């Protein structure tokens, strides 16, 4: 059976499948995994792709964690921050809010690259004996729910053995999360970047049984329903009016939504944004996001055929939280002439550019906030409509000829900026540098 065409319906359909374990729907933790498998986003040949495809990445992180020292010795924090995914956008959000908290807090992480002085590794709380007991228990549940598993695999075009591997990975994460919360009984508030990704979702579901308040800080543009829905935390701290409308239109209780703005944009007040018109577009920033290898190749081909790497200073920013596409980029562009970055500060790269080119990236919104001309390459197999497209803030092109002509026409390139002011107001609420402070005031 093919996936329903409506993405919100896809998420609802997925969440209608249940395998209850200790009053906990274990299938809920596999949502991101199943959708990425179904969308063929884990089909690459790289090691990281294979680890994710076979649900081995958390075990590898756990092994690395075993040899890592925890620097955070706090035992009874009131506030817990959860950093689930290594993604600069998410990290920036979290770190900005943490700076506002003078009181003791702990940050729970699942990746060594996220470590700081307040961090604790979730995998250090793994209990082998309790996990073995849980594995024996879950075998019976899986047998009882074998038809549910077959139906889900059929509807979402996922191989059964891959889903089962991910379910055992979910059980592993559940074990670690439960034992962490058992060891930190004084936690009253939890702030997260997501309540859909596996570790964070496990924490939120378990926190609900302990009457701990949970708050999700919206981490990016509301594009992919399976990455944001359903909202299971107590509150979703949104960026502004457009985000609120998106969540409400997809069944989220309005009482869960609190508009704060986005903390990762607070430091925009440190930049001297230029509002004078360009005379020439010399510096072009190309943003890649996780759209699958085939789409990335089509995206890069259009840019190369438009000769942007020859006629302009081209910078390419890889997506920091997904598979590294550097090898694909280097197939298309001479790395000696094109700058390729992954973990560098995106806002500094936007500030240093004249034009930002993307497909469906949140960075497009940030380019508008920095008053940069925005170009969206509309790929053949991506039907997502971005808010900046709806507000007529971006140039939408489909081929290399259109792209080459547009970049060479400064008046046309700058023309979309007339729509920026209204978009910024509706999308970002306030760019006053105080979003993190509003969140602290709300929670503390």
């Amino acid at each position: 059976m093919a996936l329903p065409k409506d993405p919100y319906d896809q998420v609802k359909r997925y969440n209608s499948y249940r395998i209850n374990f200790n009053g906990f729907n274990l299938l809920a933790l596999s949502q991101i995994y199943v959708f990425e498998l179904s969308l063929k986003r884990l089909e690459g040949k790289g090691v990281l792709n294979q680890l994710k495809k076979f649900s081995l990445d958390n075990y590898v992180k756990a092994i690395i964690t075993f040899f890592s020292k925890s620097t955070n010795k706090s035992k009874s924090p009131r506030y817990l921050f959860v950093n689930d995914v290594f993604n600069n956008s998410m990290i920036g959000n979290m770190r900005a809010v943490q700076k506002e908290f003078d009181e003791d807090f702990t940050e729970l992480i699942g990746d060594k690259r996220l470590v700081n002085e307040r961090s604790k590794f979730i995998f250090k709380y793994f209990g082998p004996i309790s996990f073995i007991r849980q594995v024996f228990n879950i075998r019976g549940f899986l047998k009882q729910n074998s038809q549910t598993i077959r139906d889900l695999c059929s509807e979402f075009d996922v191989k059964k053995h891959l889903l089962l591997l991910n379910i055992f990975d979910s059980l592993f994460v559940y074990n670690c999360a439960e034992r962490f919360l058992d060891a930190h009984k004084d936690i009253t508030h939890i702030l997260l970047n997501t309540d859909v990704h596996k570790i964070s979702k496990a924490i939120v579901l378990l926190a609900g049984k302990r009457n701990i308040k949970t708050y999700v800080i919206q981490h990016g543009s509301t594009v992919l329903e399976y990455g944001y829905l359903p909202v299971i935390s107590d509150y979703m701290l949104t960026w502004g009016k457009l985000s609120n409308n998106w969540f409400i239109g997809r069944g989220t209780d309005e009482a869960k939504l609190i508009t704060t703005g986005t903390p990762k944009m607070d430091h925009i007040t440190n930049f001297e944004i230029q509002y004078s018109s360009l005379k020439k577009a010399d510096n072009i920033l190309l943003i890649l996001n996780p759209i699958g290898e085939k789409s990335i190749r089509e995206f890069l081909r259009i840019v190369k055929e438009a000769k942007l790497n020859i006629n302009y200073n081209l910078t390419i920013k890889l997506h920091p939280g997904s598979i590294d596409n550097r090898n694909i980029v280097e197939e298309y562009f001479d790395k000696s002439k094109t700058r390729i970055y992954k973990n560098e500060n995106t806002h500094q790269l936007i500030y240093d550019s004249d034009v930002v080119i993307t497909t469906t990236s949140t960075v497009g919104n940030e380019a508008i906030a920095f008053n940069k001309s925005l170009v969206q390459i509309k790929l053949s197999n991506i039907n997502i409509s971005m808010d900046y497209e709806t507000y007529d803030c971006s140039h939408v092109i489909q081929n290399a000829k259109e792209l080459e002509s547009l970049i060479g026409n400064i008046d046309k390139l700058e023309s979309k900026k007339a729509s920026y002011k209204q978009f910024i107001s509706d999308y970002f609420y306030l760019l006053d540098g105080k979003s993190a402070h509003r969140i602290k005031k709300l929670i503390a």
Side-chain angles (χ1 to χ4, degrees):
M1 184 186 297
L3 284 176
K5 291 184 179 180
D6 177 64
Y8 175 44
D9 190 47
Q10 292 175 20
V11 174
K12 288 192 294 182
R13 287 290 305 146
Y14 180 83
N15 283 277
S16 69
Y17 291 98
R18 301 187 65 84
I19 295 181
N20 291 318
F21 178 76
N22 292 347
F24 187 104
N25 180 18
L26 211 54
L27 281 179
L29 302 190
S30 295
Q31 178 171 309
I32 294 286
Y33 175 77
V34 167
F35 275 86
E36 297 215 326
L37 266 187
S38 183
L39 293 169
K40 312 299 181 188
R41 293 190 170 181
L42 300 178
E43 293 302 311
K45 296 179 181 179
V47 174
L48 183 55
N49 250 336
Q50 294 301 304
L51 289 174
K52 288 187 174 183
K53 182 176 180 178
F54 291 96
S55 301
L56 299 173
D57 50 323
N58 281 326
Y59 301 125
V60 171
K61 290 176 183 177
I63 292 170
I64 294 172
T65 294
F66 181 79
F67 296 101
S68 302
K69 291 183 179 180
S70 293
T71 57
N72 186 350
K73 303 300 182 183
S74 63
K75 293 182 179 179
S76 303
R78 288 183 57 206
Y79 302 105
L80 174 68
F81 291 80
V82 181
N83 249 339
D84 189 347
V85 182
F86 184 70
N87 176 295
N88 282 347
S89 178
M90 291 182 170
I91 297 168
N93 254 351
M94 193 64 77
R95 297 286 190 256
V97 178
Q98 286 174 351
K99 289 179 181 178
E100 293 288 325
F101 279 74
D102 298 325
E103 294 139 289
D104 188 30
F105 67 85
T106 286
E107 179 184 63
L108 184 65
I109 62 172
D111 191 311
K112 187 178 179 180
R113 293 171 294 179
L114 293 165
V115 71
N116 68 11
E117 67 277 3
R118 295 294 185 102
S119 299
K120 289 189 176 182
F121 292 104
I122 185 172
F123 300 122
K124 281 189 176 291
Y125 291 84
F126 174 61
I129 295 175
S130 59
F131 181 67
I132 291 171
R133 188 164 54 245
Q134 288 167 342
V135 167
F136 276 105
N137 290 338
I138 197 66
R139 290 172 64 190
F141 282 96
L142 294 177
K143 188 174 181 179
Q144 293 170 16
N145 291 274
S146 58
Q147 187 61 50
T148 297
I149 293 171
R150 284 196 296 269
D151 290 345
L152 188 153
C153 289
S154 174
E155 180 166 353
F156 286 85
D157 191 25
V158 172
K159 288 182 171 58
K160 181 180 176 181
H161 73 280
L162 292 179
L163 178 59
L164 289 174
L165 286 173
N166 197 260
I167 289 173
F168 279 101
D169 174 59
S170 295
L171 187 65
F172 170 62
V173 169
Y174 170 91
N175 176 275
C176 297
E178 183 178 48
R179 288 171 58 83
F180 173 83
L181 289 177
D182 286 345
H184 296 82
K185 296 185 183 298
D186 292 330
I187 292 173
T188 58
H189 298 76
I190 302 177
L191 292 89
L192 314 95
N193 278 311
T194 169
D195 57 359
V196 179
H197 288 79
K198 184 168 287 191
I199 292 173
S200 293
K201 196 162 199 172
I203 290 290
V204 171
L205 289 171
L206 288 165
K209 295 178 178 295
R210 291 164 167 77
N211 296 316
I212 301 172
K213 289 292 184 184
T214 52
Y215 306 78
V216 170
I217 307 168
Q218 182 184 334
H219 69 268
S221 181
T222 48
V223 177
L224 297 173
E225 278 80 355
Y226 74 83
Y228 287 94
L229 302 172
V231 176
I232 61 170
S233 58
D234 293 309
Y235 299 102
M236 170 65 73
L237 309 183
T238 66
W239 292 5
K241 174 183 173 181
L242 290 180
S243 297
N244 291 341
N245 291 343
W246 188 90
F247 281 109
I248 293 169
R250 288 158 178 79
T252 304
D253 183 355
E254 188 173 357
K256 284 179 172 279
L257 306 177
I258 301 176
T259 302
T260 60
T262 174
K264 72 173 183 174
M265 293 297 292
D266 280 356
H267 69 276
I268 196 172
T269 56
N270 297 330
F271 291 89
E272 294 183 9
I273 298 175
Q274 301 298 316
Y275 292 99
S276 58
S277 296
L278 281 177
K279 292 183 172 57
K280 185 181 178 183
D282 291 318
N283 304 302
I284 297 177
L285 176 62
L286 193 69
I287 301 293
L288 295 187
N289 56 321
I291 54 178
E293 183 175 327
K294 182 179 178 181
S295 295
I296 286 173
R297 287 184 178 278
E298 183 182 356
F299 183 54
L300 296 175
R301 178 187 58 77
I302 290 172
V303 173
K304 184 174 183 180
E305 290 181 1
K307 303 175 183 177
L308 299 191
N309 59 314
I310 296 174
N311 297 324
Y312 305 92
N313 301 317
L314 181 63
T315 298
I316 299 178
K317 179 66 164 60
L318 308 176
H319 192 273
S322 63
I323 306 303
D324 195 329
N325 304 118
R326 187 180 297 269
N327 60 326
I328 301 175
V329 173
E330 291 177 354
E331 284 181 32
Y332 286 82
F333 299 102
D334 183 343
K335 58 184 177 182
S336 65
K337 296 181 180 179
T338 301
R339 293 177 296 177
I340 305 171
Y341 298 120
K342 183 168 185 177
N343 295 315
E344 278 72 9
N345 186 290
T346 302
H347 288 168
Q348 187 64 53
L349 295 178
I350 293 173
Y351 182 75
D352 293 337
S353 69
D354 300 316
V355 181
V356 175
I357 301 175
T358 184
T359 53
T360 58
S361 176
T362 298
V363 176
N365 307 303
E366 297 163 22
I368 293 169
F370 278 87
N371 199 46
K372 302 297 180 179
S373 293
L374 177 62
V375 180
Q376 183 186 5
I377 296 179
K378 203 74 169 179
L379 299 179
S380 57
N381 64 334
I382 297 180
N383 299 315
I384 297 169
S385 179
M386 303 296 291
D387 287 321
Y388 46 74
E389 184 181 346
T390 305
Y391 272 63
D392 195 31
C393 291
S394 65
H395 296 276
V396 180
I397 66 96
Q398 295 181 317
N399 57 57
K401 185 176 180 180
E402 290 178 3
L403 180 58
E404 185 176 10
S405 174
L406 173 64
I407 302 299
N409 187 335
I410 292 297
D411 290 338
K412 185 176 180 181
L413 196 60
E414 292 278 282
S415 64
K416 299 292 184 179
K417 290 184 177 180
S419 304
Y420 280 16
K421 184 177 180 181
Q422 188 62 53
F423 175 82
I424 289 171
S425 174
D426 290 350
Y427 191 83
F428 286 111
Y429 179 50
L430 294 172
L431 291 175
D432 59 356
K434 297 180 180 180
S435 298
H437 179 72
R438 283 189 282 273
I439 292 172
K440 164 67 185 301
K441 190 175 180 180
L442 169 70
I443 294 170

